[in-house]
Short mmCIF file of all heavy atoms in Angstrom, two decimals:
data_model
loop_
_atom_site.label_atom_id
_atom_site.label_comp_id
_atom_site.label_asym_id
_atom_site.label_seq_id
_atom_site.Cartn_x
_atom_site.Cartn_y
_atom_site.Cartn_z
N LEU A 1 0.86 -1.18 0.00
CA LEU A 1 0.00 0.00 0.00
C LEU A 1 0.90 1.23 0.00
O LEU A 1 1.70 1.40 0.92
CB LEU A 1 -0.91 0.00 1.23
CG LEU A 1 -1.81 -1.22 1.40
CD1 LEU A 1 -2.69 -1.07 2.63
CD2 LEU A 1 -2.68 -1.43 0.16
N MET A 2 0.78 2.06 -1.02
CA MET A 2 1.73 3.15 -1.24
C MET A 2 1.05 4.52 -1.24
O MET A 2 0.12 4.76 -2.01
CB MET A 2 2.42 2.95 -2.60
CG MET A 2 3.45 3.99 -2.94
SD MET A 2 4.96 3.82 -1.97
CE MET A 2 5.67 2.33 -2.70
N ASP A 3 1.52 5.39 -0.35
CA ASP A 3 1.08 6.78 -0.37
C ASP A 3 1.75 7.48 -1.55
O ASP A 3 2.76 6.99 -2.07
CB ASP A 3 1.44 7.46 0.94
CG ASP A 3 0.63 8.72 1.19
OD1 ASP A 3 -0.13 9.14 0.29
OD2 ASP A 3 0.75 9.29 2.28
N VAL A 4 1.24 8.62 -1.96
CA VAL A 4 1.84 9.36 -3.07
C VAL A 4 2.80 10.42 -2.55
O VAL A 4 3.97 10.46 -2.91
CB VAL A 4 0.77 10.00 -3.96
CG1 VAL A 4 1.42 10.88 -5.03
CG2 VAL A 4 -0.09 8.93 -4.63
N ARG A 5 2.32 11.26 -1.68
CA ARG A 5 3.12 12.38 -1.20
C ARG A 5 3.86 11.99 0.07
O ARG A 5 3.25 11.81 1.13
CB ARG A 5 2.23 13.59 -0.96
CG ARG A 5 1.64 14.13 -2.25
CD ARG A 5 0.84 15.37 -2.02
NE ARG A 5 0.42 15.95 -3.28
CZ ARG A 5 -0.29 17.07 -3.38
NH1 ARG A 5 -0.65 17.72 -2.30
NH2 ARG A 5 -0.63 17.54 -4.56
N MET A 6 5.16 11.88 -0.05
CA MET A 6 6.02 11.53 1.08
C MET A 6 7.31 12.33 0.96
O MET A 6 7.69 12.75 -0.14
CB MET A 6 6.34 10.03 1.08
CG MET A 6 5.14 9.13 1.30
SD MET A 6 5.59 7.38 1.34
CE MET A 6 6.01 7.09 -0.38
N PRO A 7 8.01 12.54 2.08
CA PRO A 7 9.29 13.26 2.01
C PRO A 7 10.34 12.44 1.26
O PRO A 7 10.28 11.22 1.22
CB PRO A 7 9.67 13.43 3.49
CG PRO A 7 8.96 12.32 4.19
CD PRO A 7 7.66 12.15 3.46
N GLY A 8 11.31 13.14 0.66
CA GLY A 8 12.35 12.43 -0.08
C GLY A 8 11.77 11.83 -1.35
O GLY A 8 11.19 12.52 -2.18
N MET A 9 11.93 10.54 -1.52
CA MET A 9 11.36 9.84 -2.68
C MET A 9 9.86 9.67 -2.51
O MET A 9 9.40 9.11 -1.51
CB MET A 9 12.03 8.46 -2.83
CG MET A 9 11.48 7.66 -4.01
SD MET A 9 12.17 5.98 -4.12
CE MET A 9 13.83 6.34 -4.69
N ASP A 10 9.08 10.18 -3.48
CA ASP A 10 7.63 10.07 -3.36
C ASP A 10 7.15 8.69 -3.78
O ASP A 10 7.93 7.83 -4.21
CB ASP A 10 6.92 11.17 -4.15
CG ASP A 10 7.17 11.09 -5.65
OD1 ASP A 10 7.48 9.99 -6.15
OD2 ASP A 10 7.04 12.12 -6.33
N GLY A 11 5.85 8.48 -3.66
CA GLY A 11 5.29 7.16 -3.95
C GLY A 11 5.37 6.74 -5.39
O GLY A 11 5.42 5.55 -5.69
N ILE A 12 5.39 7.71 -6.30
CA ILE A 12 5.48 7.38 -7.72
C ILE A 12 6.84 6.78 -8.03
O ILE A 12 6.95 5.72 -8.66
CB ILE A 12 5.23 8.62 -8.58
CG1 ILE A 12 3.81 9.13 -8.36
CG2 ILE A 12 5.46 8.31 -10.06
CD1 ILE A 12 3.54 10.48 -8.96
N GLU A 13 7.89 7.48 -7.60
CA GLU A 13 9.25 6.99 -7.86
C GLU A 13 9.48 5.67 -7.13
O GLU A 13 10.15 4.77 -7.64
CB GLU A 13 10.28 8.04 -7.45
CG GLU A 13 10.32 9.25 -8.36
CD GLU A 13 10.51 8.87 -9.81
OE1 GLU A 13 11.40 8.04 -10.10
OE2 GLU A 13 9.78 9.39 -10.67
N ALA A 14 8.95 5.56 -5.92
CA ALA A 14 9.11 4.32 -5.16
C ALA A 14 8.42 3.17 -5.87
O ALA A 14 8.97 2.06 -5.97
CB ALA A 14 8.54 4.49 -3.75
N THR A 15 7.22 3.41 -6.38
CA THR A 15 6.50 2.36 -7.13
C THR A 15 7.28 1.94 -8.35
O THR A 15 7.44 0.75 -8.63
CB THR A 15 5.10 2.88 -7.55
OG1 THR A 15 4.33 3.15 -6.38
CG2 THR A 15 4.39 1.86 -8.41
N ARG A 16 7.79 2.92 -9.08
CA ARG A 16 8.57 2.62 -10.29
C ARG A 16 9.80 1.78 -9.95
O ARG A 16 10.12 0.81 -10.64
CB ARG A 16 8.98 3.92 -10.98
CG ARG A 16 9.71 3.70 -12.32
CD ARG A 16 9.95 5.01 -13.04
NE ARG A 16 8.70 5.59 -13.54
CZ ARG A 16 8.15 6.71 -13.08
NH1 ARG A 16 8.74 7.38 -12.10
NH2 ARG A 16 7.02 7.16 -13.59
N ALA A 17 10.48 2.15 -8.87
CA ALA A 17 11.69 1.43 -8.46
C ALA A 17 11.36 0.01 -8.00
O ALA A 17 12.07 -0.95 -8.32
CB ALA A 17 12.40 2.19 -7.35
N ILE A 18 10.27 -0.14 -7.26
CA ILE A 18 9.88 -1.45 -6.75
C ILE A 18 9.50 -2.38 -7.90
O ILE A 18 9.94 -3.54 -7.96
CB ILE A 18 8.71 -1.31 -5.75
CG1 ILE A 18 9.20 -0.68 -4.45
CG2 ILE A 18 8.07 -2.68 -5.47
CD1 ILE A 18 8.08 -0.30 -3.50
N VAL A 19 8.69 -1.89 -8.83
CA VAL A 19 8.26 -2.72 -9.96
C VAL A 19 9.42 -3.03 -10.89
O VAL A 19 9.52 -4.14 -11.44
CB VAL A 19 7.12 -2.02 -10.72
CG1 VAL A 19 6.76 -2.79 -11.98
CG2 VAL A 19 5.89 -1.87 -9.83
N ALA A 20 10.34 -2.07 -11.05
CA ALA A 20 11.52 -2.33 -11.89
C ALA A 20 12.39 -3.42 -11.27
O ALA A 20 12.95 -4.26 -11.97
CB ALA A 20 12.34 -1.05 -12.06
N GLY A 21 12.49 -3.41 -9.95
CA GLY A 21 13.30 -4.42 -9.26
C GLY A 21 12.64 -5.78 -9.23
O GLY A 21 13.32 -6.80 -9.24
N ASP A 22 11.31 -5.79 -9.20
CA ASP A 22 10.57 -7.06 -9.17
C ASP A 22 9.24 -6.85 -9.88
O ASP A 22 8.28 -6.37 -9.28
CB ASP A 22 10.33 -7.50 -7.72
CG ASP A 22 9.56 -8.81 -7.64
OD1 ASP A 22 9.35 -9.45 -8.70
OD2 ASP A 22 9.17 -9.21 -6.52
N PRO A 23 9.17 -7.18 -11.16
CA PRO A 23 7.94 -6.96 -11.94
C PRO A 23 6.71 -7.65 -11.37
O PRO A 23 5.59 -7.28 -11.72
CB PRO A 23 8.30 -7.54 -13.32
CG PRO A 23 9.79 -7.43 -13.39
CD PRO A 23 10.26 -7.71 -12.00
N ALA A 24 6.91 -8.63 -10.52
CA ALA A 24 5.77 -9.32 -9.92
C ALA A 24 5.18 -8.55 -8.74
O ALA A 24 4.14 -8.93 -8.21
CB ALA A 24 6.18 -10.72 -9.47
N SER A 25 5.83 -7.48 -8.33
CA SER A 25 5.35 -6.69 -7.19
C SER A 25 3.99 -6.09 -7.49
O SER A 25 3.71 -5.66 -8.61
CB SER A 25 6.33 -5.56 -6.87
OG SER A 25 7.57 -6.07 -6.45
N ARG A 26 3.13 -6.05 -6.48
CA ARG A 26 1.79 -5.51 -6.62
C ARG A 26 1.64 -4.32 -5.68
O ARG A 26 1.74 -4.45 -4.47
CB ARG A 26 0.74 -6.57 -6.29
CG ARG A 26 0.79 -7.78 -7.22
CD ARG A 26 0.35 -7.41 -8.61
NE ARG A 26 0.53 -8.50 -9.56
CZ ARG A 26 0.21 -8.42 -10.84
NH1 ARG A 26 -0.31 -7.32 -11.32
NH2 ARG A 26 0.41 -9.44 -11.63
N VAL A 27 1.42 -3.15 -6.26
CA VAL A 27 1.33 -1.92 -5.49
C VAL A 27 -0.05 -1.31 -5.65
O VAL A 27 -0.58 -1.20 -6.76
CB VAL A 27 2.38 -0.90 -5.95
CG1 VAL A 27 2.28 0.40 -5.13
CG2 VAL A 27 3.78 -1.48 -5.85
N ILE A 28 -0.65 -0.92 -4.53
CA ILE A 28 -1.90 -0.17 -4.54
C ILE A 28 -1.61 1.25 -4.09
O ILE A 28 -1.06 1.47 -3.02
CB ILE A 28 -2.95 -0.80 -3.59
CG1 ILE A 28 -3.32 -2.22 -4.04
CG2 ILE A 28 -4.20 0.07 -3.53
CD1 ILE A 28 -4.28 -2.92 -3.11
N ILE A 29 -1.95 2.21 -4.94
CA ILE A 29 -1.76 3.62 -4.61
C ILE A 29 -2.92 4.07 -3.71
O ILE A 29 -4.09 3.85 -4.03
CB ILE A 29 -1.76 4.49 -5.88
CG1 ILE A 29 -0.57 4.12 -6.78
CG2 ILE A 29 -1.74 5.97 -5.52
CD1 ILE A 29 0.77 4.58 -6.28
N LEU A 30 -2.59 4.70 -2.60
CA LEU A 30 -3.59 5.26 -1.70
C LEU A 30 -3.42 6.78 -1.70
O LEU A 30 -2.32 7.28 -1.49
CB LEU A 30 -3.40 4.74 -0.28
CG LEU A 30 -3.70 3.26 -0.05
CD1 LEU A 30 -3.25 2.84 1.34
CD2 LEU A 30 -5.19 2.99 -0.21
N THR A 31 -4.50 7.51 -1.93
CA THR A 31 -4.36 8.96 -2.02
C THR A 31 -5.66 9.67 -1.72
O THR A 31 -6.74 9.08 -1.76
CB THR A 31 -3.88 9.36 -3.41
OG1 THR A 31 -3.62 10.76 -3.46
CG2 THR A 31 -4.91 9.02 -4.47
N THR A 32 -5.54 10.94 -1.39
CA THR A 32 -6.70 11.82 -1.30
C THR A 32 -6.89 12.39 -2.70
O THR A 32 -6.14 13.27 -3.12
CB THR A 32 -6.45 12.96 -0.30
OG1 THR A 32 -6.10 12.38 0.95
CG2 THR A 32 -7.70 13.82 -0.14
N PHE A 33 -7.86 11.89 -3.44
CA PHE A 33 -7.92 12.08 -4.89
C PHE A 33 -7.88 13.54 -5.32
O PHE A 33 -7.16 13.92 -6.22
CB PHE A 33 -9.18 11.42 -5.46
CG PHE A 33 -9.18 11.41 -6.95
CD1 PHE A 33 -8.49 10.44 -7.65
CD2 PHE A 33 -9.85 12.38 -7.67
CE1 PHE A 33 -8.48 10.43 -9.03
CE2 PHE A 33 -9.84 12.38 -9.05
CZ PHE A 33 -9.16 11.40 -9.72
N ASP A 34 -8.66 14.39 -4.67
CA ASP A 34 -8.76 15.77 -5.12
C ASP A 34 -7.45 16.53 -4.97
O ASP A 34 -7.26 17.56 -5.59
CB ASP A 34 -9.87 16.49 -4.36
CG ASP A 34 -11.24 15.98 -4.75
OD1 ASP A 34 -11.36 15.45 -5.87
OD2 ASP A 34 -12.17 16.11 -3.95
N LEU A 35 -6.56 16.04 -4.11
CA LEU A 35 -5.31 16.75 -3.86
C LEU A 35 -4.14 16.15 -4.63
O LEU A 35 -3.21 16.85 -5.01
CB LEU A 35 -4.99 16.73 -2.37
CG LEU A 35 -6.01 17.44 -1.46
CD1 LEU A 35 -5.59 17.28 0.00
CD2 LEU A 35 -6.12 18.91 -1.82
N ASP A 36 -4.16 14.87 -4.85
CA ASP A 36 -3.02 14.18 -5.46
C ASP A 36 -3.20 14.03 -6.96
O ASP A 36 -3.84 13.10 -7.43
CB ASP A 36 -2.80 12.82 -4.81
CG ASP A 36 -2.32 12.94 -3.38
OD1 ASP A 36 -1.57 13.88 -3.09
OD2 ASP A 36 -2.71 12.10 -2.56
N GLU A 37 -2.59 14.94 -7.71
CA GLU A 37 -2.71 14.91 -9.15
C GLU A 37 -1.70 13.95 -9.78
O GLU A 37 -1.63 13.84 -11.00
CB GLU A 37 -2.52 16.32 -9.71
CG GLU A 37 -3.58 17.29 -9.22
CD GLU A 37 -3.39 18.68 -9.76
OE1 GLU A 37 -2.39 18.90 -10.48
OE2 GLU A 37 -4.23 19.55 -9.47
N TYR A 38 -0.94 13.26 -8.95
CA TYR A 38 0.08 12.36 -9.46
C TYR A 38 -0.39 10.90 -9.45
O TYR A 38 0.39 10.00 -9.72
CB TYR A 38 1.34 12.48 -8.62
CG TYR A 38 1.87 13.89 -8.55
CD1 TYR A 38 1.72 14.65 -7.40
CD2 TYR A 38 2.50 14.47 -9.65
CE1 TYR A 38 2.19 15.96 -7.34
CE2 TYR A 38 2.96 15.78 -9.60
CZ TYR A 38 2.80 16.51 -8.44
OH TYR A 38 3.25 17.80 -8.39
N ALA A 39 -1.64 10.68 -9.12
CA ALA A 39 -2.13 9.31 -9.01
C ALA A 39 -1.99 8.55 -10.32
O ALA A 39 -1.58 7.39 -10.35
CB ALA A 39 -3.59 9.31 -8.55
N PHE A 40 -2.34 9.20 -11.44
CA PHE A 40 -2.24 8.53 -12.73
C PHE A 40 -0.79 8.13 -13.01
O PHE A 40 -0.52 7.05 -13.52
CB PHE A 40 -2.74 9.46 -13.84
CG PHE A 40 -2.76 8.81 -15.19
CD1 PHE A 40 -3.86 8.09 -15.61
CD2 PHE A 40 -1.68 8.91 -16.03
CE1 PHE A 40 -3.88 7.50 -16.86
CE2 PHE A 40 -1.68 8.32 -17.28
CZ PHE A 40 -2.78 7.61 -17.69
N ALA A 41 0.14 9.03 -12.68
CA ALA A 41 1.56 8.72 -12.88
C ALA A 41 1.95 7.50 -12.07
O ALA A 41 2.77 6.69 -12.51
CB ALA A 41 2.43 9.91 -12.51
N GLY A 42 1.37 7.35 -10.89
CA GLY A 42 1.66 6.18 -10.07
C GLY A 42 1.19 4.91 -10.74
O GLY A 42 1.89 3.90 -10.76
N LEU A 43 0.00 4.94 -11.32
CA LEU A 43 -0.51 3.78 -12.04
C LEU A 43 0.36 3.49 -13.25
O LEU A 43 0.67 2.35 -13.56
CB LEU A 43 -1.96 4.03 -12.46
CG LEU A 43 -2.98 4.19 -11.33
CD1 LEU A 43 -4.34 4.54 -11.90
CD2 LEU A 43 -3.07 2.94 -10.49
N ASN A 44 0.75 4.56 -13.94
CA ASN A 44 1.59 4.39 -15.12
C ASN A 44 2.97 3.87 -14.75
O ASN A 44 3.66 3.25 -15.57
CB ASN A 44 1.73 5.74 -15.85
CG ASN A 44 1.97 5.57 -17.33
OD1 ASN A 44 1.66 4.54 -17.90
ND2 ASN A 44 2.53 6.59 -17.95
N ALA A 45 3.38 4.11 -13.50
CA ALA A 45 4.68 3.63 -13.03
C ALA A 45 4.66 2.14 -12.70
O ALA A 45 5.70 1.55 -12.44
CB ALA A 45 5.12 4.43 -11.80
#
């Protein structure tokens, strides 16, 4: 379960890194939709 907005590396970059390291990894993005405009990027990652 991955938040989007975090200090340092955000959830998008973390998701991309996790999936790149292990394509079988399954990540669910958790966000406050109206505030997090990066949710789509997380799915795309």
Side-chain angles (χ1 to χ4, degrees):
L1 302 182
M2 181 73 72
D3 199 354
V4 175
R5 294 184 173 181
M6 295 182 289
M9 180 184 287
D10 64 24
I12 297 170
E13 290 306 313
T15 296
R16 185 173 290 112
I18 288 171
V19 174
D22 180 7
S25 296
R26 298 291 173 179
V27 180
I28 297 177
I29 296 287
L30 292 171
T31 185
T32 305
F33 189 82
D34 290 336
L35 297 177
D36 291 325
E37 298 180 357
Y38 304 106
F40 184 88
L43 296 175
N44 208 22

